[in-house]
Amino acid sequence: AIQWIIQKRSAEPSHSGEWRGDSYVMSRDALIELSVKRGLLSDPLKRAVLEALPPQTLNTPFIPCNLQMEDE
């Protein structure tokens, strides 16, 4: 099964440290809910990208996504 993973840097500033898996979800709605709770969707474009994902990851072909969810 494919999962969506929210990662977090292990150190600040954000250009240092390692990326570590912080949360793992298998549905688009869970990913959106988690992202909203963490304040990651202040930009409407970011939310639109997540809403365009398939509802579930099961039996979903791999689609690479290079969207950076962190505000710079």
Side-chain angles (χ1 to χ4, degrees), residues 1 4 7 9-15 18 20 24 37 40 50-51 54 56 58-59 61 67 71-72:
W4 288 302
Q7 296 180 314
R9 288 270 190 187
S10 62
E12 292 293 333
S14 61
H15 65 276
E18 297 178 6
R20 297 202 175 143
Y24 305 83
K37 286 181 181 177
L40 300 174
L50 294 186
E51 288 175 349
Q56 299 289 321
L58 299 175
N59 301 319
L67 176 68
D71 290 328
E72 298 184 78

Side-chain angles (χ1 to χ4, degrees), residues 28-70:
R28 174 192 59 210
D29 292 343
L31 179 61
I32 292 171
E33 181 181 340
L34 185 60
S35 298
V36 166
K37 286 181 181 177
R38 292 174 180 230
L40 300 174
L41 298 181
S42 58
D43 180 350
L45 179 59
K46 291 178 182 178
R47 184 176 186 117
V49 168
L50 294 186
E51 288 175 349
L53 292 170
Q56 299 289 321
T57 59
L58 299 175
N59 301 319
T60 302
F62 175 72
I63 302 169
C65 180
N66 295 325
L67 176 68
Q68 186 174 355
M69 296 297 295
E70 184 176 308

